[in-house]
Structures are given as structure tokens and as C-alpha cells.
């Protein structure tokens, strides 16, 4: 294949990957994820990867300060884990589609 042709293909691929990554970033920032403590008494909502939006405590009097702190941390960590997993799965989809585009461009 000609070098100019391959350069044009790579440029087109870079543009498509850049657009897909931007869409993925926008999706991650706009979505909220909810996590729960192991005892179910605290829920936390995060936006994107780690912006805490809300913490809801269902039973303040059942937990002492230490246990309440641990429950809040568990809930926030759970919400962040859900966010990370969702974005990771969507990223894998972007990479897979990019690989398909590469194969298609190379075969042209």
C-alpha cells in the first residue's frame, strides 16, 4: 500500500477514535451512579467517576460515629466502583469498534 494512503487511513482512524472517546467522556460525566453500604443503611450517589452528589442515611441512630463513617465510605466506594465498571465496559466497546474500523480501513 502507498504511504500516503496509509497516512490518510490512520488520520481517519484517529478522528473516529477521538470522536468516540469524547462521546464516552460526555456519557460518563452526565450519568449518576448509586452505591450502598454493606448493611444497606447508607446510599451514596456520584456523578461521573467521583463527584459525590448525595449521601442518604436511612438510620442515623442505629450507627455510632465510627460505624456511620465506615458505612458512608462503603457506599461512596460502591458508587465509584459502579461508575468505573460501567465506563470500563463502554471503553471496551469503543476499543472493539475501533479495531473493527482499523480492519475495515486496512482491507480497503
Amino acid at each position: 500500500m502507498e504511504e500516503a494512503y496509509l497516512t490518510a487511513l490512520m488520520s481517519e482512524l484517529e478522528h473516529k477514535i477521538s470522536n468516540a472517546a469524547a462521546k464516552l467522556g460526555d456519557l460518563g460525566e452526565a450519568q449518576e451512579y448509586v452505591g450502598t453500604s454493606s448493611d444497606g443503611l447508607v446510599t451514596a450517589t456520584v456523578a461521573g467517576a467521583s463527584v459525590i452528589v448525595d449521601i442518604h442515611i436511612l438510620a442515623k441512630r442505629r450507627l455510632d460515629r465510627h460505624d456511620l463513617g465506615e458505612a458512608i465510605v462503603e457506599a461512596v466506594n460502591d458508587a465509584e466502583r459502579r461508575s468505573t465498571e460501567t465506563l470500563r465496559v463502554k471503553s471496551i466497546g469503543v476499543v472493539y469498534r475501533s479495531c473493527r474500523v482499523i480492519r475495515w480501513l486496512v482491507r480497503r
Side-chain angles (χ1 to χ4, degrees), residues 33-93:
Y33 302 89
V34 178
T36 307
S37 62
S38 59
D39 57 13
L41 297 177
V42 177
T43 59
T45 305
V46 298
S50 60
V51 177
I52 298 172
V53 176
D54 183 45
I55 294 177
H56 185 71
I57 302 168
L58 299 174
K60 293 177 192 172
R61 295 177 191 245
R62 285 194 215 170
L63 302 171
D64 63 19
R65 290 182 307 200
H66 183 278
D67 292 340
L68 179 59
E70 285 184 353
I72 290 171
V73 169
E74 282 180 6
V76 170
N77 287 342
D78 185 44
E80 288 178 339
R81 180 189 53 76
R82 291 171 190 265
S83 169
T84 302
E85 284 178 4
T86 300
L87 293 176
R88 183 179 52 83
V89 167
K90 290 178 181 176
S91 297
I92 290 169

Short mmCIF file of all heavy atoms in Angstrom, two decimals, residues 33-93:
data_model
loop_
_atom_site.label_atom_id
_atom_site.label_comp_id
_atom_site.label_asym_id
_atom_site.label_seq_id
_atom_site.Cartn_x
_atom_site.Cartn_y
_atom_site.Cartn_z
N TYR A 33 -24.40 7.40 39.50
CA TYR A 33 -24.31 6.01 39.95
C TYR A 33 -24.59 5.97 41.45
O TYR A 33 -24.11 6.82 42.19
CB TYR A 33 -22.92 5.45 39.65
CG TYR A 33 -22.59 5.52 38.19
CD1 TYR A 33 -21.97 6.65 37.65
CD2 TYR A 33 -22.91 4.48 37.33
CE1 TYR A 33 -21.70 6.73 36.30
CE2 TYR A 33 -22.62 4.55 35.98
CZ TYR A 33 -22.01 5.70 35.47
OH TYR A 33 -21.75 5.77 34.14
N VAL A 34 -25.36 4.98 41.88
CA VAL A 34 -25.73 4.86 43.29
C VAL A 34 -25.05 3.62 43.88
O VAL A 34 -25.05 2.56 43.29
CB VAL A 34 -27.27 4.73 43.44
CG1 VAL A 34 -27.65 4.55 44.90
CG2 VAL A 34 -27.95 5.96 42.86
N GLY A 35 -24.48 3.82 45.07
CA GLY A 35 -23.86 2.72 45.80
C GLY A 35 -24.47 2.61 47.18
O GLY A 35 -25.03 3.58 47.70
N THR A 36 -24.37 1.45 47.78
CA THR A 36 -24.97 1.19 49.08
C THR A 36 -23.94 0.56 50.01
O THR A 36 -23.10 -0.23 49.58
CB THR A 36 -26.16 0.22 48.92
OG1 THR A 36 -27.05 0.74 47.94
CG2 THR A 36 -26.92 0.05 50.22
N SER A 37 -24.03 0.90 51.29
CA SER A 37 -23.16 0.26 52.28
C SER A 37 -23.57 -1.19 52.44
O SER A 37 -24.70 -1.58 52.08
CB SER A 37 -23.24 1.00 53.62
OG SER A 37 -24.55 0.94 54.14
N SER A 38 -22.69 -2.00 53.02
CA SER A 38 -22.98 -3.44 53.15
C SER A 38 -24.20 -3.71 54.03
O SER A 38 -24.91 -4.69 53.83
CB SER A 38 -21.77 -4.18 53.69
OG SER A 38 -21.40 -3.67 54.96
N ASP A 39 -24.47 -2.83 55.00
CA ASP A 39 -25.64 -3.03 55.85
C ASP A 39 -26.92 -2.42 55.27
O ASP A 39 -28.00 -2.56 55.82
CB ASP A 39 -25.39 -2.46 57.26
CG ASP A 39 -25.02 -0.98 57.25
OD1 ASP A 39 -25.21 -0.31 56.20
OD2 ASP A 39 -24.55 -0.49 58.28
N GLY A 40 -26.78 -1.72 54.13
CA GLY A 40 -27.93 -1.13 53.46
C GLY A 40 -28.47 0.13 54.11
O GLY A 40 -29.51 0.64 53.70
N LEU A 41 -27.78 0.67 55.08
CA LEU A 41 -28.29 1.84 55.80
C LEU A 41 -27.85 3.17 55.19
O LEU A 41 -28.41 4.22 55.52
CB LEU A 41 -27.85 1.79 57.27
CG LEU A 41 -28.40 0.61 58.07
CD1 LEU A 41 -27.83 0.63 59.49
CD2 LEU A 41 -29.92 0.63 58.10
N VAL A 42 -26.87 3.14 54.30
CA VAL A 42 -26.39 4.37 53.67
C VAL A 42 -26.32 4.17 52.16
O VAL A 42 -25.83 3.13 51.70
CB VAL A 42 -24.98 4.76 54.21
CG1 VAL A 42 -24.46 6.00 53.51
CG2 VAL A 42 -25.01 4.98 55.72
N THR A 43 -26.82 5.14 51.41
CA THR A 43 -26.65 5.14 49.96
C THR A 43 -25.92 6.42 49.57
O THR A 43 -26.09 7.47 50.19
CB THR A 43 -27.99 5.07 49.20
OG1 THR A 43 -28.79 6.18 49.57
CG2 THR A 43 -28.73 3.79 49.50
N ALA A 44 -25.10 6.31 48.55
CA ALA A 44 -24.36 7.46 48.03
C ALA A 44 -24.56 7.52 46.53
O ALA A 44 -24.63 6.50 45.85
CB ALA A 44 -22.88 7.34 48.36
N THR A 45 -24.66 8.74 46.01
CA THR A 45 -24.79 8.95 44.58
C THR A 45 -23.59 9.76 44.11
O THR A 45 -23.27 10.79 44.70
CB THR A 45 -26.09 9.72 44.25
OG1 THR A 45 -27.19 9.00 44.81
CG2 THR A 45 -26.29 9.87 42.76
N VAL A 46 -22.93 9.28 43.06
CA VAL A 46 -21.81 10.01 42.47
C VAL A 46 -22.12 10.29 41.01
O VAL A 46 -22.84 9.53 40.36
CB VAL A 46 -20.47 9.26 42.59
CG1 VAL A 46 -20.09 9.04 44.04
CG2 VAL A 46 -20.49 7.95 41.86
N ALA A 47 -21.61 11.41 40.52
CA ALA A 47 -21.74 11.75 39.11
C ALA A 47 -20.38 11.55 38.46
O ALA A 47 -19.35 11.85 39.06
CB ALA A 47 -22.19 13.20 38.95
N GLY A 48 -20.41 11.01 37.26
CA GLY A 48 -19.14 10.75 36.58
C GLY A 48 -18.36 9.72 37.35
O GLY A 48 -18.89 8.73 37.81
N ALA A 49 -17.07 9.98 37.52
CA ALA A 49 -16.23 8.99 38.20
C ALA A 49 -16.18 9.20 39.70
O ALA A 49 -16.09 8.24 40.44
CB ALA A 49 -14.83 9.04 37.62
N SER A 50 -16.24 10.45 40.18
CA SER A 50 -16.04 10.61 41.63
C SER A 50 -16.57 11.90 42.23
O SER A 50 -16.07 12.34 43.25
CB SER A 50 -14.55 10.48 41.95
OG SER A 50 -13.84 11.49 41.27
N VAL A 51 -17.56 12.51 41.63
CA VAL A 51 -18.17 13.70 42.23
C VAL A 51 -19.36 13.25 43.07
O VAL A 51 -20.34 12.72 42.55
CB VAL A 51 -18.63 14.70 41.15
CG1 VAL A 51 -19.32 15.89 41.78
CG2 VAL A 51 -17.46 15.14 40.29
N ILE A 52 -19.26 13.43 44.39
CA ILE A 52 -20.34 12.98 45.28
C ILE A 52 -21.51 13.96 45.15
O ILE A 52 -21.37 15.16 45.36
CB ILE A 52 -19.86 12.91 46.73
CG1 ILE A 52 -18.73 11.89 46.86
CG2 ILE A 52 -21.03 12.54 47.66
CD1 ILE A 52 -18.06 11.88 48.22
N VAL A 53 -22.67 13.44 44.78
CA VAL A 53 -23.86 14.25 44.57
C VAL A 53 -24.78 14.21 45.79
O VAL A 53 -25.34 15.22 46.19
CB VAL A 53 -24.63 13.78 43.32
CG1 VAL A 53 -25.92 14.54 43.14
CG2 VAL A 53 -23.76 13.90 42.08
N ASP A 54 -24.90 13.01 46.41
CA ASP A 54 -25.85 12.87 47.51
C ASP A 54 -25.41 11.70 48.41
O ASP A 54 -24.87 10.71 47.92
CB ASP A 54 -27.25 12.59 46.97
CG ASP A 54 -28.30 12.50 48.06
OD1 ASP A 54 -28.29 13.35 48.96
OD2 ASP A 54 -29.12 11.56 48.00
N ILE A 55 -25.67 11.86 49.69
CA ILE A 55 -25.49 10.76 50.64
C ILE A 55 -26.78 10.70 51.45
O ILE A 55 -27.22 11.71 52.00
CB ILE A 55 -24.28 10.99 51.57
CG1 ILE A 55 -23.00 10.95 50.75
CG2 ILE A 55 -24.26 9.94 52.68
CD1 ILE A 55 -21.74 11.22 51.53
N HIS A 56 -27.38 9.53 51.47
CA HIS A 56 -28.64 9.36 52.19
C HIS A 56 -28.44 8.34 53.30
O HIS A 56 -28.03 7.20 53.04
CB HIS A 56 -29.74 8.90 51.23
CG HIS A 56 -31.09 8.81 51.85
ND1 HIS A 56 -31.81 9.92 52.22
CD2 HIS A 56 -31.83 7.74 52.20
CE1 HIS A 56 -32.95 9.53 52.77
NE2 HIS A 56 -32.98 8.21 52.76
N ILE A 57 -28.72 8.74 54.53
CA ILE A 57 -28.56 7.86 55.69
C ILE A 57 -29.94 7.44 56.15
O ILE A 57 -30.76 8.28 56.53
CB ILE A 57 -27.80 8.59 56.81
CG1 ILE A 57 -26.43 9.05 56.29
CG2 ILE A 57 -27.64 7.69 58.03
CD1 ILE A 57 -25.71 10.01 57.19
N LEU A 58 -30.20 6.15 56.11
CA LEU A 58 -31.53 5.63 56.42
C LEU A 58 -31.78 5.51 57.93
O LEU A 58 -32.92 5.60 58.36
CB LEU A 58 -31.75 4.28 55.74
CG LEU A 58 -31.66 4.30 54.22
CD1 LEU A 58 -31.73 2.88 53.67
CD2 LEU A 58 -32.75 5.16 53.64
N ALA A 59 -30.76 5.26 58.71
CA ALA A 59 -30.97 5.05 60.14
C ALA A 59 -29.79 5.64 60.93
O ALA A 59 -28.86 4.93 61.30
CB ALA A 59 -31.13 3.56 60.43
N LYS A 60 -29.85 6.92 61.18
CA LYS A 60 -28.75 7.60 61.86
C LYS A 60 -28.52 7.07 63.27
O LYS A 60 -27.40 6.96 63.74
CB LYS A 60 -29.03 9.10 61.94
CG LYS A 60 -29.04 9.77 60.62
CD LYS A 60 -29.40 11.23 60.77
CE LYS A 60 -29.69 11.83 59.42
NZ LYS A 60 -30.22 13.15 59.49
N ARG A 61 -29.58 6.75 63.96
CA ARG A 61 -29.46 6.37 65.37
C ARG A 61 -28.96 4.94 65.57
O ARG A 61 -28.58 4.57 66.67
CB ARG A 61 -30.79 6.56 66.08
CG ARG A 61 -31.17 8.02 66.11
CD ARG A 61 -32.53 8.21 66.75
NE ARG A 61 -32.98 9.55 66.55
CZ ARG A 61 -33.16 10.41 67.52
NH1 ARG A 61 -32.96 10.06 68.76
NH2 ARG A 61 -33.57 11.63 67.25
N ARG A 62 -28.99 4.13 64.54
CA ARG A 62 -28.53 2.75 64.68
C ARG A 62 -27.01 2.63 64.64
O ARG A 62 -26.46 1.61 65.00
CB ARG A 62 -29.09 1.89 63.55
CG ARG A 62 -30.54 1.55 63.72
CD ARG A 62 -30.87 0.44 62.76
NE ARG A 62 -32.22 0.61 62.27
CZ ARG A 62 -32.75 -0.06 61.29
NH1 ARG A 62 -32.03 -0.96 60.66
NH2 ARG A 62 -33.98 0.13 60.92
N LEU A 63 -26.34 3.66 64.14
CA LEU A 63 -24.90 3.59 63.95
C LEU A 63 -24.19 4.63 64.82
O LEU A 63 -24.62 5.77 64.91
CB LEU A 63 -24.55 3.87 62.48
CG LEU A 63 -25.19 2.93 61.45
CD1 LEU A 63 -24.93 3.44 60.04
CD2 LEU A 63 -24.64 1.52 61.60
N ASP A 64 -23.09 4.21 65.44
CA ASP A 64 -22.29 5.20 66.15
C ASP A 64 -21.43 5.95 65.12
O ASP A 64 -21.46 5.64 63.93
CB ASP A 64 -21.44 4.54 67.23
CG ASP A 64 -20.41 3.56 66.70
OD1 ASP A 64 -20.08 3.61 65.49
OD2 ASP A 64 -19.92 2.72 67.48
N ARG A 65 -20.67 6.93 65.55
CA ARG A 65 -19.88 7.76 64.63
C ARG A 65 -18.94 6.93 63.76
O ARG A 65 -18.84 7.14 62.56
CB ARG A 65 -19.04 8.78 65.40
CG ARG A 65 -19.85 9.85 66.04
CD ARG A 65 -18.94 10.82 66.73
NE ARG A 65 -18.06 10.06 67.66
CZ ARG A 65 -17.42 10.59 68.66
NH1 ARG A 65 -17.53 11.87 68.90
NH2 ARG A 65 -16.67 9.86 69.44
N HIS A 66 -18.26 6.00 64.38
CA HIS A 66 -17.29 5.17 63.66
C HIS A 66 -17.98 4.33 62.59
O HIS A 66 -17.56 4.30 61.43
CB HIS A 66 -16.54 4.27 64.65
CG HIS A 66 -15.49 3.44 64.01
ND1 HIS A 66 -15.76 2.26 63.37
CD2 HIS A 66 -14.15 3.64 63.91
CE1 HIS A 66 -14.64 1.76 62.89
NE2 HIS A 66 -13.64 2.57 63.21
N ASP A 67 -19.05 3.62 62.98
CA ASP A 67 -19.77 2.77 62.03
C ASP A 67 -20.43 3.59 60.93
O ASP A 67 -20.48 3.15 59.78
CB ASP A 67 -20.81 1.91 62.76
CG ASP A 67 -20.16 0.87 63.66
OD1 ASP A 67 -18.98 0.54 63.44
OD2 ASP A 67 -20.85 0.38 64.59
N LEU A 68 -20.94 4.77 61.29
CA LEU A 68 -21.56 5.64 60.28
C LEU A 68 -20.51 6.08 59.26
O LEU A 68 -20.75 6.05 58.05
CB LEU A 68 -22.20 6.86 60.94
CG LEU A 68 -22.85 7.87 60.00
CD1 LEU A 68 -23.94 7.22 59.17
CD2 LEU A 68 -23.39 9.05 60.80
N GLY A 69 -19.33 6.46 59.75
CA GLY A 69 -18.25 6.85 58.84
C GLY A 69 -17.87 5.72 57.90
O GLY A 69 -17.70 5.93 56.69
N GLU A 70 -17.75 4.52 58.44
CA GLU A 70 -17.41 3.35 57.60
C GLU A 70 -18.50 3.07 56.58
O GLU A 70 -18.21 2.74 55.42
CB GLU A 70 -17.17 2.13 58.47
CG GLU A 70 -15.85 2.14 59.19
CD GLU A 70 -15.59 0.87 59.98
OE1 GLU A 70 -16.50 0.01 60.08
OE2 GLU A 70 -14.47 0.74 60.50
N ALA A 71 -19.77 3.20 56.99
CA ALA A 71 -20.88 2.94 56.08
C ALA A 71 -20.90 3.96 54.94
O ALA A 71 -21.17 3.62 53.78
CB ALA A 71 -22.21 2.95 56.84
N ILE A 72 -20.60 5.22 55.26
CA ILE A 72 -20.56 6.25 54.22
C ILE A 72 -19.44 5.95 53.23
O ILE A 72 -19.63 6.02 52.01
CB ILE A 72 -20.40 7.65 54.85
CG1 ILE A 72 -21.68 8.03 55.59
CG2 ILE A 72 -20.04 8.69 53.78
CD1 ILE A 72 -21.56 9.29 56.42
N VAL A 73 -18.27 5.59 53.73
CA VAL A 73 -17.14 5.26 52.85
C VAL A 73 -17.49 4.06 51.98
O VAL A 73 -17.20 4.05 50.78
CB VAL A 73 -15.85 5.02 53.68
CG1 VAL A 73 -14.75 4.43 52.82
CG2 VAL A 73 -15.39 6.31 54.33
N GLU A 74 -18.10 3.04 52.54
CA GLU A 74 -18.51 1.86 51.76
C GLU A 74 -19.46 2.25 50.64
O GLU A 74 -19.33 1.78 49.51
CB GLU A 74 -19.22 0.83 52.65
CG GLU A 74 -18.32 -0.01 53.49
CD GLU A 74 -19.12 -1.01 54.34
OE1 GLU A 74 -20.36 -1.11 54.18
OE2 GLU A 74 -18.48 -1.69 55.15
N ALA A 75 -20.46 3.08 50.96
CA ALA A 75 -21.45 3.47 49.96
C ALA A 75 -20.81 4.28 48.84
O ALA A 75 -21.09 4.05 47.65
CB ALA A 75 -22.58 4.26 50.62
N VAL A 76 -19.94 5.22 49.19
CA VAL A 76 -19.27 6.04 48.16
C VAL A 76 -18.36 5.15 47.31
O VAL A 76 -18.36 5.26 46.08
CB VAL A 76 -18.48 7.20 48.81
CG1 VAL A 76 -17.59 7.89 47.79
CG2 VAL A 76 -19.43 8.20 49.45
N ASN A 77 -17.60 4.27 47.94
CA ASN A 77 -16.73 3.36 47.19
C ASN A 77 -17.53 2.46 46.25
O ASN A 77 -17.12 2.21 45.11
CB ASN A 77 -15.88 2.50 48.13
CG ASN A 77 -14.77 3.29 48.79
OD1 ASN A 77 -14.40 4.38 48.35
ND2 ASN A 77 -14.25 2.75 49.88
N ASP A 78 -18.70 2.00 46.70
CA ASP A 78 -19.55 1.16 45.86
C ASP A 78 -20.05 1.95 44.65
O ASP A 78 -20.03 1.44 43.52
CB ASP A 78 -20.72 0.62 46.68
CG ASP A 78 -21.58 -0.36 45.91
OD1 ASP A 78 -21.01 -1.24 45.22
OD2 ASP A 78 -22.82 -0.24 45.98
N ALA A 79 -20.47 3.18 44.86
CA ALA A 79 -20.95 4.02 43.75
C ALA A 79 -19.81 4.29 42.76
O ALA A 79 -20.01 4.22 41.54
CB ALA A 79 -21.52 5.33 44.29
N GLU A 80 -18.63 4.59 43.27
CA GLU A 80 -17.48 4.84 42.39
C GLU A 80 -17.09 3.57 41.63
O GLU A 80 -16.72 3.64 40.45
CB GLU A 80 -16.29 5.37 43.18
CG GLU A 80 -16.51 6.79 43.66
CD GLU A 80 -15.37 7.33 44.50
OE1 GLU A 80 -14.59 6.52 45.05
OE2 GLU A 80 -15.26 8.56 44.60
N ARG A 81 -17.19 2.42 42.29
CA ARG A 81 -16.89 1.15 41.61
C ARG A 81 -17.86 0.91 40.47
O ARG A 81 -17.47 0.53 39.37
CB ARG A 81 -16.95 -0.02 42.61
CG ARG A 81 -16.64 -1.38 41.99
CD ARG A 81 -16.94 -2.52 42.96
NE ARG A 81 -18.28 -2.50 43.51
CZ ARG A 81 -19.40 -2.88 42.86
NH1 ARG A 81 -19.33 -3.29 41.62
NH2 ARG A 81 -20.57 -2.83 43.45
N ARG A 82 -19.14 1.18 40.73
CA ARG A 82 -20.15 1.00 39.67
C ARG A 82 -19.88 1.93 38.49
O ARG A 82 -20.00 1.54 37.33
CB ARG A 82 -21.55 1.25 40.23
CG ARG A 82 -22.02 0.19 41.19
CD ARG A 82 -23.33 0.62 41.88
NE ARG A 82 -23.67 -0.26 42.95
CZ ARG A 82 -24.49 -1.30 42.83
NH1 ARG A 82 -25.03 -1.57 41.67
NH2 ARG A 82 -24.74 -2.06 43.88
N SER A 83 -19.51 3.17 38.79
CA SER A 83 -19.17 4.14 37.75
C SER A 83 -17.99 3.65 36.92
O SER A 83 -18.02 3.64 35.69
CB SER A 83 -18.84 5.49 38.39
OG SER A 83 -18.28 6.37 37.46
N THR A 84 -16.94 3.22 37.61
CA THR A 84 -15.73 2.76 36.93
C THR A 84 -16.01 1.54 36.07
O THR A 84 -15.55 1.45 34.93
CB THR A 84 -14.63 2.44 37.97
OG1 THR A 84 -14.38 3.62 38.73
CG2 THR A 84 -13.36 1.98 37.31
N GLU A 85 -16.78 0.59 36.60
CA GLU A 85 -17.11 -0.62 35.83
C GLU A 85 -17.90 -0.28 34.57
O GLU A 85 -17.63 -0.80 33.50
CB GLU A 85 -17.91 -1.60 36.69
CG GLU A 85 -17.09 -2.34 37.69
CD GLU A 85 -17.94 -3.27 38.56
OE1 GLU A 85 -19.17 -3.39 38.32
OE2 GLU A 85 -17.38 -3.87 39.48
N THR A 86 -18.88 0.61 34.72
CA THR A 86 -19.70 0.98 33.58
C THR A 86 -18.86 1.66 32.51
O THR A 86 -18.96 1.34 31.32
CB THR A 86 -20.85 1.91 34.02
OG1 THR A 86 -21.65 1.23 34.98
CG2 THR A 86 -21.71 2.33 32.85
N LEU A 87 -18.01 2.60 32.92
CA LEU A 87 -17.17 3.30 31.95
C LEU A 87 -16.15 2.35 31.32
O LEU A 87 -15.82 2.48 30.14
CB LEU A 87 -16.48 4.49 32.62
CG LEU A 87 -17.42 5.61 33.06
CD1 LEU A 87 -16.64 6.69 33.80
CD2 LEU A 87 -18.16 6.21 31.87
N ARG A 88 -15.65 1.39 32.10
CA ARG A 88 -14.70 0.41 31.55
C ARG A 88 -15.35 -0.43 30.47
O ARG A 88 -14.79 -0.65 29.40
CB ARG A 88 -14.16 -0.48 32.67
CG ARG A 88 -13.11 -1.48 32.20
CD ARG A 88 -12.58 -2.34 33.34
NE ARG A 88 -13.61 -2.99 34.10
CZ ARG A 88 -14.20 -4.13 33.76
NH1 ARG A 88 -13.86 -4.75 32.66
NH2 ARG A 88 -15.14 -4.66 34.52
N VAL A 89 -16.56 -0.89 30.73
CA VAL A 89 -17.28 -1.71 29.75
C VAL A 89 -17.54 -0.90 28.48
O VAL A 89 -17.35 -1.39 27.36
CB VAL A 89 -18.60 -2.24 30.34
CG1 VAL A 89 -19.50 -2.82 29.26
CG2 VAL A 89 -18.31 -3.27 31.41
N LYS A 90 -17.93 0.36 28.66
CA LYS A 90 -18.18 1.20 27.49
C LYS A 90 -16.88 1.49 26.75
O LYS A 90 -16.87 1.57 25.52
CB LYS A 90 -18.88 2.48 27.91
CG LYS A 90 -20.31 2.19 28.35
CD LYS A 90 -21.02 3.40 28.82
CE LYS A 90 -22.43 3.01 29.27
NZ LYS A 90 -23.16 4.11 29.83
N SER A 91 -15.77 1.63 27.47
CA SER A 91 -14.47 1.85 26.83
C SER A 91 -14.06 0.65 26.00
O SER A 91 -13.52 0.78 24.91
CB SER A 91 -13.39 2.12 27.88
OG SER A 91 -13.66 3.28 28.59
N ILE A 92 -14.33 -0.54 26.53
CA ILE A 92 -14.01 -1.76 25.79
C ILE A 92 -14.79 -1.78 24.48
O ILE A 92 -14.26 -2.15 23.44
CB ILE A 92 -14.30 -3.02 26.63
CG1 ILE A 92 -13.27 -3.11 27.77
CG2 ILE A 92 -14.28 -4.28 25.78
CD1 ILE A 92 -13.60 -4.16 28.81
N GLY A 93 -16.03 -1.32 24.53
CA GLY A 93 -16.84 -1.25 23.31
C GLY A 93 -16.23 -0.29 22.30
O GLY A 93 -16.20 -0.58 21.10
#
